């Protein structure tokens, strides 16, 4: 009996590492609750679907081994301290080598000093705007940014501002931006951009969680700008757009973050509503079978309606990115050699919901849409191939 | 500039009544049960989401949806009281911990049910009232009138009905009130439920003005507590006045100073008032 137990223990001990090697753990650090959950919501919704589909298909083969994925996805609640603890656990306890997120810049700047100690040992693939500043810097090979950059000759923001000036002839723009890391970055990018194109600007910041914007809208409107550039999440945008038209402060809007939803809601009161939409799902669903399948898969997986207004945010660290990582592992012939896998990611173009590639520093480039809505809800969509 | 100031002062008054209704719930709960119920913001959120659901999903008219939304929030308040708060009576720390825990649970539940996507209810009234060059949204005026009426009616009920006087008596001397026949357990539960109903009512009206998200209650409970302290804990009228002062201070402050620090302007004002009146504007000096 004792011998049998000893055999059993020995077999179990031998079996454990074999089992562990067959699972690739991927982590995700995003806010799933809290005031900025809107930015982590779609990522945390899309990744489980991808993981489920890959695992249900029997996993993926690298070399002669078949692997399955295990997703570790705690809720940061947008709290940098919470995210730091979660990342530490992933890297030091769970042995995670691939972490998706964060989307929030304030979370990223807090975890960055810790994360860089693990340079070469893992990949951090997030959409946070602040990640851009660290790409290509020494000791930051672990970083990849999963979102189009705004500035530069091919930056989506640059293309949008050109479009705005061409279509509306705007000479003065009022910016109303959330007072946090993400908002400050937007100001740093767009104020010089407008200035370089000869457009005058005025700017006000608002506290996260603000709901009543009447006072600051009245203050901005007093400067008589041509258009309002509000940022940056729908939680604020619904209120900003509504209060702008109700108080007769603004009827023309230009957005580089946020959705079409606030414009549609007030479609009979607005004159122009320009918005950067990584993908206009309502239209793409009808023409692209991959998009239609994703929408159907989402509904089946979560047994609820598809969140069309949030879905464009799935362009960052979400569904496609899991499949892309798996393809990169196959190409690299390894699930552990982080440098090889990064090299594979940088050299490939993944054709999923989006056509995704990376530049030499690890910044994502993907196709996107510019939606211009005019009074009554008339929509014109321009698809832009970013590369 | 004068028109801008007047317009924003009026807007501040309207927004302030929303702070006031939460402050009233805070002040009543604290006075009768001895706890600061930080979860009141969550009952406001429940009232708001129920209203949105009844109007936008179930298709009820807004005026009809108000009552079930308030009853729903009060029902949740009753359950929370029976399962949690009745075990924390007169224990500030325990009550605080329970209410903070409840925030996490309710917020997570709301996120699960309704996701983080903001819900923007169908507009009830879309027009604006024009006073010279000042434009005030009609719905804001309706919300102001309803909230002010409820706060004033609560004040009247507290000062002119037996139940109200019993509540005051209990707040002043619990033992004496008990000896006089006040059913204390029922009174305490009643106040918790009424406070959550007030928060639910505030939430239902909030839904007609602003977009909804699961974390919305957090900011309003802080404003409610600030307004209650400013007005004086225990004073229903103080809640209204405290809320209005807070709303006006924020609105006017945002015009002259950077709006990024809007919340701080109200706090600075509170500090200034409390230096001279530590028990708040209408609070008792006892």
């Amino acid at each position: 009996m004792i011998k049998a137990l000893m055999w059993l223990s020995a077999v179990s001990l031998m079996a454990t590492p074999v089992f562990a090697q067959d699972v690739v753990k991927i982590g995700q650090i995003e806010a799933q609750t809290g005031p900025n959950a809107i930015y982590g919501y779609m990522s945390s919704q899309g990744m489980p679907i991808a993981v489920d589909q890959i695992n249900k298909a029997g996993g993926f083969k690298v070399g002669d081994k078949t692997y399955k994925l295990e997703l570790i996805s705690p809720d940061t609640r947008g709290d940098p301290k919470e995210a730091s603890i979660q990342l530490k656990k992933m890297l030091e306890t769970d042995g995670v080598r691939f972490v998706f997120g964060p989307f929030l810049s304030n979370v990223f700047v807090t975890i960055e000093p810790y994360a860089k100690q693990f340079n070469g040992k893992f990949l951090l693939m997030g959409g946070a705007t602040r990640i851009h500043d660290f790409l290509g810097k020494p000791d930051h090979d672990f970083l990849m940014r999963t979102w189009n950059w705004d500035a530069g000759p091919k930056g989506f923001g640059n293309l949008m501002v050109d479009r705005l000036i061409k279509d509306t002839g705007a000479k003065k723009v009022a910016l109303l931006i959330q007072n946090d890391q993400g908002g400050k970055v937007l100001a740093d990018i767009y104020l010089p951009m407008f200035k370089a194109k000869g457009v005058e600007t005025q700017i006000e910041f608002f506290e996260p969680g603000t709901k009543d914007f009447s006072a600051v809208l009245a203050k901005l409107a007093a400067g008589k700008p041509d258009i309002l550039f509000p940022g940056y999440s729908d939680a604020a945008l619904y209120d900003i757009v509504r209060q702008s038209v109700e108080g007769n402060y603004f009827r023309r809007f230009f957005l580089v973050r946020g959705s079409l939803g606030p414009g549609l809601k007030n479609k009979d009161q607005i004159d122009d509503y320009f918005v950067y939409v990584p993908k206009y799902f309502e239209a793409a669903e009808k023409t692209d079978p991959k998009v239609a399948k994703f929408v159907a898969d989402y509904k089946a997986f979560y047994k609820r309606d598809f969140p069309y207004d949030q879905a464009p945010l799935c362009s960052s660290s979400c569904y496609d990115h899991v499949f892309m990582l798996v393809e990169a592992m196959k190409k690299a012939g390894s699930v552990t050699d982080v440098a090889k896998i990064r090299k594979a990611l940088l050299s490939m173009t993944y054709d999923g919901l989006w056509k995704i590639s990376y530049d030499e520093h690890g910044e994502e480039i993907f196709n996107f849409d510019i939606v211009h809505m005019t009074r009554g809800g008339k929509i014109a969509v321009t698809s832009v191939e970013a590369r | 500039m004068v028109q801008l100031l007047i317009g924003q002062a009026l807007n501040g008054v309207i927004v302030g009544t929303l702070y006031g209704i939460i402050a009233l719930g805070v002040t009543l709960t604290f006075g009768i049960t001895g706890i600061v119920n930080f979860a009141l913001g969550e009952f406001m959120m429940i009232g708001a989401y129920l209203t949105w659901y009844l109007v936008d999903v179930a298709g009820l008219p807004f005026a009809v949806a108000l009552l079930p939304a308030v009853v729903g929030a009060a029902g949740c308040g009753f359950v929370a009281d029976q399962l949690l708060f009745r075990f924390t009576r007169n224990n500030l720390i325990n009550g605080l911990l329970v209410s903070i825990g409840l925030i996490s649970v309710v917020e997570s539940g709301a996120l699960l049910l309704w996701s983080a996507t903001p819900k923007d209810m169908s507009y009830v009234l879309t027009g604006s009232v024009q006073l010279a060059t000042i434009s005030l949204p009609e719905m804001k005026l309706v919300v102001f009138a309803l909230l002010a009426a409820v706060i004033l009616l609560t004040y009247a009920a507290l000062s002119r009905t037996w139940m109200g006087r019993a509540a005051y008596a209990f707040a002043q001397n619990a033992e004496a009130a008990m000896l006089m026949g006040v059913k204390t357990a029922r009174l305490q539960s009643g106040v918790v439920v009424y406070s959550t109903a007030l928060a639910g009512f505030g939430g239902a009206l909030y839904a007609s003005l602003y977009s909804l998200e699961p974390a919305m209650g957090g900011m309003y409970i802080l404003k409610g507590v600030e307004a209650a302290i400013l007005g004086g804990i225990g004073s229903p009228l103080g809640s209204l006045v405290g809320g209005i002062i807070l709303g006006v201070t924020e609105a006017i402050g945002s015009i002259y100073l950077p709006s990024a620090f809007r919340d701080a302007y109200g706090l600075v004002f509170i500090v200034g008032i409390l230096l001279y009146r530590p028990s708040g504007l209408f609070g008792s000096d006892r």
Side-chain angles (χ1 to χ4, degrees):
Chain A
M1 180 66 183
I2 291 168
K3 265 189 179 175
L5 280 173
M6 283 169 70
W7 267 107
L8 201 64
S9 308
V11 168
S12 304
L13 283 170
M14 281 156 62
T16 307
V18 172
F19 176 74
Q21 280 173 8
D22 293 344
V23 172
V24 176
K25 292 180 181 177
I26 55 174
Q28 184 177 41
I29 42 170
E30 292 291 8
Q32 296 169 26
T33 60
N36 283 317
I38 210 154
Y39 279 112
Y41 177 76
M42 206 56 215
S43 300
S44 62
Q45 295 273 296
M47 286 191 68
I49 302 176
V51 169
D52 183 65
Q53 288 178 349
I54 290 164
N55 287 345
K56 276 193 178 149
F60 61 97
K61 210 165 176 185
V62 175
D64 55 357
K65 265 191 176 169
T66 301
Y67 295 89
K68 289 203 171 182
L69 293 174
E70 182 186 331
L71 175 63
I72 301 169
S73 181
D75 177 12
T76 68
R77 292 182 290 140
D79 179 354
K81 290 195 293 287
E82 194 86 27
S84 303
I85 295 164
Q86 290 162 357
L87 181 64
K88 190 175 163 67
K89 184 175 177 294
M90 281 179 198
L91 297 183
E92 295 182 25
T93 310
D94 298 329
V96 174
R97 288 190 176 86
F98 310 100
V99 180
F100 289 94
F103 212 132
L104 298 173
S105 287
N106 62 331
V107 171
F108 169 70
V109 293
T110 306
I111 63 171
E112 184 272 332
Y114 168 77
K116 78 175 178 191
Q117 296 171 36
F118 290 82
N119 190 38
K121 294 176 184 162
F122 88 115
L123 292 180
L124 184 72
M125 297 162 279
T129 309
R130 275 283 180 218
I131 291 178
H132 173 84
D133 300 344
F134 294 88
L135 291 174
K137 297 271 166 69
D139 301 330
H140 286 83
D141 295 331
F142 69 96
L143 272 181
M144 298 182 79
R145 185 167 178 268
T146 55
W147 190 256
N148 274 334
W149 183 237
D150 303 62
K154 290 188 175 177
F156 80 86
N158 201 28
L159 296 170
M160 284 198 64
V161 171
D162 285 343
R163 179 72 188 274
L164 172 78
I165 296 168
K166 188 176 159 229
D167 286 7
T168 67
K171 295 263 186 280
K172 187 174 182 182
V173 174
L175 290 87
L176 180 56
I177 308 281
Q178 187 157 300
N179 189 29
D180 60 8
Q181 281 285 340
K184 297 280 188 195
V185 176
L186 276 189
D188 290 347
I189 296 168
Y190 284 91
L191 288 176
M193 196 188 284
F194 280 118
K195 193 179 173 189
K197 293 174 195 292
V199 177
E200 197 185 334
T201 53
Q202 57 181 125
I203 187 164
E204 279 288 330
F205 289 95
F206 64 85
E207 286 190 78
T210 300
K211 281 291 172 185
D212 198 284
F213 294 90
S214 307
V216 69
L217 285 170
K219 187 178 173 182
L220 284 171
K224 301 198 186 311
D226 299 312
I227 200 156
L228 180 68
F229 174 174
Y232 53 74
S233 83
D234 277 1
L237 288 168
Y238 273 102
D239 299 302
I240 291 174
V241 175
R242 176 182 181 170
Q243 289 161 38
S244 292
V245 296
E246 264 183 359
N248 205 15
Y249 302 123
F250 294 96
R251 294 190 186 276
R252 304 170 90 188
F253 304 89
F254 174 76
L255 285 79
V256 294
R257 305 283 191 277
S259 79
L260 191 61
L264 278 171
K265 186 84 186 181
N266 299 279
K267 63 181 190 293
D268 295 326
Q269 279 82 42
I270 57 158
D271 291 333
D272 289 294
Y273 191 92
F274 286 90
V275 58
Y276 162 71
V277 180
K279 185 175 291 297
Y280 186 49
F281 270 79
E282 290 87 336
E285 185 187 8
K286 291 168 192 153
T287 56
D288 185 343
K290 283 180 195 162
V291 176
K293 181 181 178 301
F294 177 68
V295 173
D297 289 347
Y298 182 98
K299 287 177 181 170
F301 191 81
Y302 290 109
K303 295 182 176 51
R304 60 169 170 254
D305 285 344
F306 185 72
Y308 285 95
D309 52 349
Q310 291 308 303
L313 291 174
C314 202
S315 50
S316 175
S317 300
C318 190
Y319 181 81
D320 276 351
H321 299 80
V322 182
F323 287 98
M324 194 174 180
L325 177 65
V326 165
E327 288 306 311
M329 287 178 192
K330 287 180 188 170
K331 198 175 170 189
S334 169
V335 296
T336 54
D337 191 332
V338 170
K340 265 190 180 174
I341 294 165
R342 178 184 153 89
K343 202 174 163 190
L345 281 169
L346 294 186
S347 66
M348 66 194 288
T349 297
Y350 180 76
D351 195 1
L353 294 173
W354 282 269
K355 197 176 267 186
I356 300 172
S357 57
Y358 287 91
D359 70 11
E360 69 275 22
H361 299 303
E363 191 148 48
E364 193 171 299
I365 301 160
F366 59 85
N367 53 313
F368 64 91
D369 294 337
I370 299 174
V371 177
H372 179 198
M373 187 166 61
T374 45
R375 190 167 287 228
K378 197 177 162 202
I379 285 173
V381 182
T382 308
S383 294
V384 180
E385 284 292 334
R387 195 179 273 285
Chain B
M1 191 62 185
V2 176
Q3 278 140 352
L4 180 63
L5 271 178
I6 295 169
Q8 289 318 308
L10 290 173
N11 186 60
V13 170
I14 296 167
V15 173
T17 51
L18 206 47
Y19 300 157
I21 196 105
I22 304 297
L24 181 58
V26 170
T27 209
L28 288 176
T29 313
F30 183 73
I32 302 299
T33 66
I35 57 170
V36 181
N37 186 358
F38 270 92
L40 274 178
E42 303 312 303
F43 294 100
M44 180 188 179
M45 184 265 285
I46 290 170
Y49 269 98
L50 283 177
T51 309
W52 161 78
Y53 185 85
L54 292 169
V55 173
D56 273 15
V57 183
L60 292 180
F62 177 71
V64 177
L66 274 178
L67 184 64
V70 173
V71 171
C76 293
F78 178 72
V79 172
D81 181 66
Q82 292 304 301
L83 293 179
L84 302 167
F85 289 121
R86 75 189 172 100
F87 302 108
T88 67
R89 302 264 197 258
N90 302 314
N91 189 325
L92 189 64
I93 300 297
N94 287 4
L96 203 62
L97 289 174
V98 165
S99 69
I100 289 170
L102 196 58
I103 292 172
S104 279
V105 173
V106 176
E107 200 180 304
S108 301
L111 203 77
L112 209 64
L113 273 175
W114 296 303
S115 82
T117 306
K119 308 291 182 204
D120 200 27
M121 200 177 76
S122 304
Y123 298 163
V124 185
L125 287 174
T126 51
S128 294
V129 173
Q130 206 69 27
L131 302 168
T133 55
I134 299 163
S135 175
L136 287 171
E138 284 174 20
M139 194 62 214
K140 272 192 172 174
L141 293 171
V142 171
V143 167
F144 167 71
L146 288 172
L147 289 173
V150 166
I151 295 172
L152 293 173
L153 282 172
T154 303
Y155 169 70
L158 282 170
S159 54
R160 291 173 191 216
T161 65
W162 185 89
M163 183 61 99
R165 284 195 292 271
Y168 269 128
F170 181 83
Q172 284 169 2
N173 190 327
E175 275 184 16
M178 259 194 304
L179 291 171
M180 292 293 137
V182 175
K183 291 178 175 156
T184 54
R186 197 177 292 177
L187 177 72
Q188 288 181 314
S189 290
V191 165
V192 171
V193 173
Y194 186 65
S195 300
T196 55
L198 287 175
F201 184 61
L205 295 177
Y206 173 101
S208 69
L209 294 176
Y210 307 117
S211 64
L212 313 182
E213 39 165 335
M216 57 171 264
M219 192 192 78
Y220 275 83
I221 186 60
L222 288 178
K223 302 286 183 190
V225 171
E226 285 173 32
I229 293 170
L230 180 60
I233 293 285
S235 165
L237 277 185
S239 302
L240 179 62
V241 175
I244 288 174
I245 290 175
L246 209 57
V248 172
T249 311
E250 287 176 357
I252 301 293
S254 299
I255 293 175
Y256 287 106
L257 301 163
S259 57
F261 311 109
R262 200 183 69 140
D263 289 350
Y265 308 142
L267 283 170
V268 168
F269 200 81
I270 289 178
V271 171
I273 294 280
L274 293 183
L275 280 175
Y276 292 97
R277 287 193 61 86
S279 52
L281 289 171
F282 292 79
S284 159
D285 287 333
R286 277 184 312 111

